[in-house]
C-alpha cells in the first residue's frame, strides 16, 4: 500500500470535481480498490501501486482536458478511462474554449488570417471596425499561448484618452480611475478563464492589465502583449510601446480607424505605424471589414450607415473646396 498526493495545477477544482462532487464520486466508483480523498486542489490517494499508476495517468489526462476545454462531463471521464478521445478532441480549428465550454475560433476568413498570422509573425496589426472580433480573438490567442506555456505572461494595455484633468475628477485611487477604460479587456478574460483562477493570475502578475502610460521604461519578454484601441495613441506613444518588445514576445496591436478620439490637431499613431511598418518582414497586417462583424446584425447596418455618412460628408467638403478655388 502506498499513498500519494496529486495536485490539480492550473485548473479550477470545482469544475474538475463537478456539481456536488458528482465527477469525484464517479471517479471513486471507477477505482474501487483505491481510497480517494479530495480537498481544495489536492487529491490524496491510498492503495495498490499498479492501480495508483493507472489512476495518476487518468487524472492527469482529465486535468489537461479541463485546462483545455474549461469543462469536463461524465461522458468525457468515461472516454478517458477507456483510453478513447473525447468528443471535444475531434473539434478542429478551436483557439480556446470559454468557461461555458463554447469553442472560440475564427468565424470568418480574415479572423482565420489573424490566427494564422499569430503563428508566423511576432508582431501583428489587426485593424477593423467595431464587432469584428479583433480584441476578443487576440486575447483568446494570448490565453492559448499561456495555457500551452509558450508564453509566461499576458500583458494587456489601452490608451486612456482622457488621462489628463478629466480622469482626476473620477472617484477612487489610480486603479479605480483607470479600470473603466480597461473593462472590455477584463470582460474578454472573464469569458475564457474561471474567476478564481483569473484572480490568482492577476495577483501573481501572470496576467497584467495596465494603461499605455505604464509601459514606459519596461522591456516585455516571454509574453503576449496586446495594445487595444491603438488608433487613440499618439505617434510618440505607439513608438514607445512597439520598442518595448523583448525576447520570445509576440505583440498584437488592434484598432479601428473610424473611431479616433484624439484631439483634431493630433495624428493617430496607429495610422503612422501602419504606413511605416506595413512592409517590414516579421510584421503582419490583418485588415478586417464589415463581413467579419460577428456581433448583432444591427452592428453591420450601423457601420454601413456611418461609412456612407462619412463618404457623403467627405465628398461635400471636397466639393466646397473646389468651389472656393474657382
Amino acid at each position: 500500500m502506498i499513498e500519494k498526493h496529486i495536485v490539480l495545477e492550473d485548473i479550477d477544482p470545482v469544475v474538475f470535481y463537478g456539481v456536488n462532487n458528482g465527477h469525484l464520486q464517479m471517479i471513486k466508483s471507477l477505482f474501487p480498490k483505491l481510497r480517494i480523498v479530495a480537498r481544495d486542489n489536492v487529491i490524496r490517494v491510498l492503495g495498490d501501486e499498479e492501480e495508483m499508476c493507472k489512476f495518476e495517468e487518468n487524472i492527469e489526462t482529465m486535468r489537461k482536458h479541463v485546462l483545455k476545454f474549461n469543462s469536463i462531463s461524465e461522458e468525457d471521464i468515461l472516454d478517458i478511462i477507456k483510453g478513447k478521445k473525447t468528443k471535444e478532441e475531434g473539434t478542429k480549428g478551436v483557439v480556446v474554449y470559454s468557461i461555458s465550454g463554447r469553442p472560440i475560433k475564427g468565424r470568418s476568413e480574415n479572423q482565420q488570417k489573424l490566427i494564422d498570422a499569430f503563428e508566423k509573425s511576432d508582431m501583428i496589426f489587426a485593424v477593423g471596425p467595431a464587432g469584428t472580433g479583433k480584441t476578443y480573438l487576440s486575447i483568446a490567442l494570448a490565453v492559448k499561448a499561456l495555457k500551452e506555456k509558450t508564453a509566461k505572461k499576458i500583458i494587456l494595455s489601452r490608451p486612456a484618452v482622457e488621462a489628463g484633468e478629466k480622469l482626476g475628477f473620477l472617484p477612487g485611487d489610480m486603479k479605480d480611475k483607470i479600470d473603466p477604460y480597461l473593462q472590455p479587456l477584463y470582460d474578454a478574460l472573464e469569458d475564457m478563464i474561471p474567476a478564481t483562477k483569473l484572480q490568482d493570475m492577476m495577483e501573481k502578475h501572470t496576467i497584467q492589465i495596465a494603461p499605455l502610460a505604464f509601459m514606459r521604461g519596461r522591456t516585455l519578454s516571454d509574453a503576449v502583449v496586446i495594445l487595444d484601441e491603438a488608433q487613440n495613441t499618439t505617434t510618440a506613444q505607439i513608438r514607445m510601446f512597439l520598442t518595448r518588445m523583448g525576447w520570445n514576445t509576440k505583440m498584437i496591436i488592434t484598432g479601428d480607424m473610424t473611431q479616433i478620439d484624439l484631439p483634431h490637431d493630433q495624428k493617430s499613431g496607429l495610422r503612422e505605424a501602419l504606413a511605416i511598418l506595413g512592409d517590414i518582414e516579421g510584421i503582419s497586417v490583418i485588415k478586417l471589414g464589415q463581413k467579419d462583424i460577428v456581433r448583432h446584425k444591427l452592428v453591420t447596418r450601423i457601420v454601413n450607415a456611418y461609412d456612407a455618412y462619412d463618404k457623403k460628408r467627405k465628398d461635400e467638403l471636397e466639393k466646397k473646396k473646389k468651389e472656393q478655388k474657382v
Side-chain angles (χ1 to χ4, degrees):
M1 297 279 283
I2 61 170
E3 180 178 330
K4 283 196 175 181
H5 290 191
I6 300 170
V7 180
L8 300 173
E9 294 180 342
D10 302 326
I11 64 168
D12 185 350
V14 175
V15 176
F16 188 91
Y17 299 144
V19 178
N20 296 323
N21 287 334
H23 296 159
L24 182 62
Q25 296 305 322
M26 182 181 183
I27 292 167
K28 286 181 179 181
S29 69
L30 292 167
F31 291 91
K33 295 180 182 179
L34 299 176
R35 185 184 172 195
I36 302 166
V37 179
R39 186 169 183 177
D40 296 327
N41 68 330
V42 179
I43 301 175
R44 179 172 165 264
V45 194
L46 186 69
D48 175 71
E49 186 173 358
E50 187 177 339
E51 189 77 357
M52 183 85 72
C53 288
K54 184 182 176 184
F55 176 81
E56 278 189 287
E57 288 176 7
N58 284 311
I59 290 295
E60 177 59 12
T61 304
M62 292 177 203
R63 186 195 70 81
K64 287 179 178 177
H65 187 282
V66 173
L67 181 64
K68 183 175 181 180
F69 301 108
N70 276 324
S71 65
I72 193 166
S73 66
E74 291 185 356
E75 185 182 349
D76 294 328
I77 292 170
L78 284 172
D79 284 341
I80 289 167
I81 297 293
K82 292 174 183 177
K84 294 164 62 178
K85 278 189 175 182
T86 62
K87 61 182 180 181
E88 289 90 347
E89 292 287 353
T91 308
K92 294 181 179 179
V94 177
V95 178
V96 291
Y97 287 77
S98 72
I99 57 173
S100 63
R102 175 177 55 85
I104 299 169
K105 56 183 179 179
R107 294 171 61 182
S108 69
E109 183 182 347
N110 288 324
Q111 285 191 359
Q112 189 57 49
K113 284 181 180 178
L114 174 56
I115 295 168
D116 295 340
F118 188 78
E119 297 299 321
K120 68 177 185 179
S121 302
D122 289 336
M123 184 177 290
I124 305 110
F125 288 87
V127 184
T132 51
K134 54 190 182 294
T135 300
Y136 190 80
L137 195 55
S138 296
I139 291 176
L141 289 165
V143 170
K144 180 187 179 187
L146 198 62
K147 286 189 173 188
E148 294 179 350
K149 300 189 185 302
T150 56
K152 292 181 180 178
K153 56 183 177 281
I154 297 173
I155 300 170
L156 308 175
S157 187
R158 265 186 160 202
V161 178
E162 296 178 348
E165 293 180 353
K166 291 184 182 179
L167 199 63
F169 288 106
L170 293 173
D173 59 17
M174 182 57 72
K175 183 180 183 299
D176 294 329
K177 294 174 191 290
I178 290 165
D179 272 357
Y181 292 94
L182 307 174
Q183 191 58 48
L185 306 179
Y186 287 111
D187 291 343
L189 286 169
E190 286 168 356
D191 197 32
M192 300 175 204
I193 301 173
T196 53
K197 185 61 186 173
L198 177 58
Q199 183 65 32
D200 181 60
M201 285 177 160
M202 294 187 75
E203 286 175 0
K204 292 177 178 176
H205 301 292
T206 305
I207 295 178
Q208 302 170 30
I209 304 179
L212 182 58
F214 286 31
M215 296 294 109
R216 188 172 298 280
R218 299 182 65 183
T219 300
L220 310 172
S221 301
D222 298 310
V224 178
V225 188
I226 298 173
L227 174 60
D228 192 35
E229 300 287 356
Q231 77 277 1
N232 288 328
T233 60
T234 64
T235 55
Q237 284 175 331
I238 200 164
R239 185 171 182 175
M240 175 275 292
F241 175 82
L242 297 177
T243 54
R244 300 305 96 200
M245 193 173 194
W247 294 107
N248 191 36
T249 289
K250 285 183 179 283
M251 280 188 168
I252 307 178
I253 300 94
T254 72
D256 177 0
M257 300 311 300
T258 68
Q259 293 188 3
I260 299 173
D261 300 319
L262 293 168
H264 293 300
D265 59 342
Q266 281 192 334
K267 187 177 180 181
S268 169
L270 177 59
R271 179 171 280 138
E272 184 176 81
L274 289 170
I276 296 170
L277 306 175
D279 297 325
I280 290 183
E281 185 180 350
I283 296 177
S284 292
V285 178
I286 309 299
K287 294 182 179 178
L288 300 104
Q290 294 163 11
K291 65 181 180 179
D292 302 300
I293 293 175
V294 291
R295 291 182 187 168
H296 194 285
K297 59 185 178 182
L298 271 177
V299 175
T300 304
R301 296 173 191 169
I302 291 167
V303 170
N304 288 339
Y306 270 100
D307 284 348
Y309 172 79
D310 290 341
K311 186 178 184 302
K312 184 181 177 182
R313 192 179 175 198
K314 185 179 179 182
D315 290 343
E316 288 174 351
L317 288 170
E318 287 179 357
K319 186 179 178 181
K320 282 183 179 179
K321 286 180 181 178
K322 287 179 180 178
E323 289 173 351
Q324 288 171 355
K325 286 181 180 179
V326 173

